[in-house]
Amino acid sequence: MNIQEYNSRAWDKAVDEADEWTIPVSPELIAKARGGEWSVVLTPQKSVPREWFGEVAGKDVLCLASGGGQQAPILAAAGAHVTSFDNSARQLEQDRLVAKREGLDIQLEQGDAADLSRFEDGSFDLIFNPCSNLFMPALEPLWRECFRVLRPGGTLMAGIIKPVVFVFDRFEEDTNGKLVVRHSLPYSDEGSLTQEELQRLIDDGQPLEFSHTLETQIGGQIDAGFLINGFYEDYWLNGVSRLSDYMPTFIATRAIKPNA
């Protein structure tokens, strides 16, 4: 299976089903962003600290795997020069919808986040990558490409789901609301589920997921050359995950590409 192509179609389907991460922001939020009052999320609930951004007006920003008519339009309304790069054509259409409705200039690009070869070295001041790398089989190319396309002193912000989430049986939780330890890490839908369970996800058109390790997530950024200088944890929205009743299940990192 070609994971990139499959997950692209799965997220197209999510747009058709009005998944919460595919619903465009309102004109009211765009108006507030134009006036300097705005926030965006890397993880489900917490807003990214504004001090992580500095002054966004005039910055070249890559919203990476961030389509859906949410973060990219907000940052564009705040004055950034935004490129929205996503694997899903329908998610990009949500960005296009808001851009047309609000008169925003957003460049739209479809492709694999691990291949940013269409962009020259040092093209961006900021990369905004909300929780999405759980849909990518390998992270080393992602971090390398992010480092390459950032300018010296540029910032990478990334949302990450903790690998411990994948230890538990997703079907048992969905069916009976119980947290049952089942899987060893690293986890993948392709390699950790039975063929019947995997086929159930495919028949339902759900994106396929990969756990990754914290060493690959955080250590991978460091190995690519980044210096991490920001960190926080977050929870799933109420009722979505039993594990979030007991512990934060997401982290967000801010990393800098050194000047030299």
Side-chain angles (χ1 to χ4, degrees):
M1 177 183 295
N2 185 311
I3 295 295
Q4 181 194 351
E5 291 180 2
Y6 172 83
N7 278 350
S8 175
R9 294 192 301 270
W11 274 102
D12 287 349
K13 180 175 180 287
V15 175
D16 294 333
E17 295 175 348
D19 180 272
E20 62 183 308
W21 303 112
T22 73
I23 298 173
V25 293
S26 68
E28 290 76 18
L29 287 178
I30 295 296
K32 287 182 178 180
R34 283 188 162 123
E37 183 184 347
W38 58 271
S39 65
V40 287
V41 295
L42 287 164
T43 54
Q45 298 197 71
K46 283 188 181 179
S47 296
V48 181
R50 282 290 292 271
E51 58 266 26
W52 278 23
F53 292 93
E55 178 54 64
V56 298
K59 283 185 177 177
D60 294 316
V61 176
L62 176 63
C63 286
L64 184 61
S66 178
Q70 299 179 0
Q71 296 96 5
I74 290 289
L75 292 170
H81 306 301
V82 176
T83 298
S84 179
F85 189 103
D86 201 275
N87 192 30
S88 162
R90 294 283 285 119
Q91 281 284 71
L92 289 171
E93 280 300 318
Q94 301 301 79
D95 285 335
R96 189 192 308 276
L97 182 155
V98 181
K100 182 177 181 180
R101 187 190 74 200
E102 304 294 341
L104 299 170
D105 184 14
I106 301 175
Q107 180 179 338
L108 304 177
E109 299 282 349
Q110 184 179 6
D112 180 358
D115 179 8
L116 304 179
S117 57
R118 71 192 72 182
F119 303 119
E120 295 182 358
D121 294 0
S123 293
F124 300 99
D125 301 299
L126 169 66
I127 298 176
F128 189 86
N129 174 222
C131 277
S132 57
N133 67 39
L134 71 156
F135 306 114
M136 305 174 192
L139 298 189
E140 291 86 349
L142 170 70
W143 303 136
R144 286 199 307 268
E145 281 289 84
C146 286
F147 190 85
R148 181 184 65 79
V149 302
L150 273 175
R151 295 174 182 133
T155 302
L156 166 66
M157 301 182 193
I160 295 167
I161 187 167
K162 290 184 178 180
V164 67
V165 171
F166 295 91
V167 168
F168 299 95
D169 188 329
R170 65 192 296 179
F171 298 103
E172 184 69 26
E173 182 176 1
D174 290 344
T175 303
N176 301 312
K178 295 181 179 179
L179 292 175
V180 176
V181 173
R182 174 182 173 188
H183 303 292
S184 59
L185 298 178
Y187 167 93
S188 74
D189 283 339
E190 277 193 304
S192 302
L193 298 179
T194 67
Q195 190 59 44
E196 180 182 358
E197 290 168 332
L198 176 62
Q199 192 61 49
R200 193 189 316 176
L201 296 181
I202 293 172
D203 291 344
D204 195 38
Q206 294 189 39
L208 299 185
E209 300 179 352
F210 304 82
S211 69
H212 305 299
T213 63
L214 289 178
E215 183 175 1
T216 304
Q217 294 277 14
I218 298 174
Q221 293 182 55
I222 295 170
D223 289 344
F226 285 105
L227 303 176
I228 294 178
N229 70 345
F231 182 95
Y232 63 85
E233 296 179 300
D234 198 7
Y235 294 82
W236 251 123
L237 303 170
N238 291 338
V240 175
S241 166
R242 285 293 310 281
L243 188 58
S244 271
D245 293 340
Y246 302 97
M247 63 176 289
T249 48
F250 293 86
I251 59 176
T253 58
R254 181 182 192 265
I256 300 296
K257 179 175 179 175
N259 284 306

